Amino acid sequence: MLLAFSRVWAACEVQPHYPLPQDPSTQQSILVQLQSVQDQCLRNSHYYAWRGALELSLGQNHAAIESLERALL
């Protein structure tokens, strides 16, 4: 059973792109896409770092704190 969970966590296909786009609507669109694949990226620090950077840029400070903390863990 543990191996099945490992495959799910390893399936994260997110590739962060920096610098972040300047347009808030583009940032929001990327954030929506990231939220749709969260279940596949639960243990991916790059996913949470990118998500946190987008949230911070959009002024979603509380969400950014949680995402960036997950990236560190």
Side-chain angles (χ1 to χ4, degrees):
M1 191 63 101
L2 184 58
L3 293 176
F5 288 121
S6 296
R7 283 189 210 136
V8 170
W9 288 327
C12 184
E13 300 289 330
V14 170
Q15 296 294 322
H17 299 283
Y18 296 99
L20 297 177
Q22 296 297 315
D23 179 39
S25 64
T26 303
Q27 292 177 356
Q28 185 63 41
S29 175
I30 294 169
L31 188 56
V32 168
Q33 292 173 7
L34 290 177
Q35 289 168 340
S36 73
V37 297
Q38 181 177 0
D39 289 345
Q40 291 83 31
C41 299
L42 290 174
R43 293 198 174 209
N44 187 303
S45 62
H46 298 289
Y47 165 85
Y48 281 106
W50 192 25
R51 181 175 170 160
L54 287 164
E55 291 165 337
L56 191 61
S57 180
L58 290 168
Q60 300 174 6
N61 297 333
H62 293 290
I65 288 169
E66 183 177 336
S67 293
L68 294 171
E69 185 175 295
R70 285 178 179 253
L72 292 171
L73 294 174

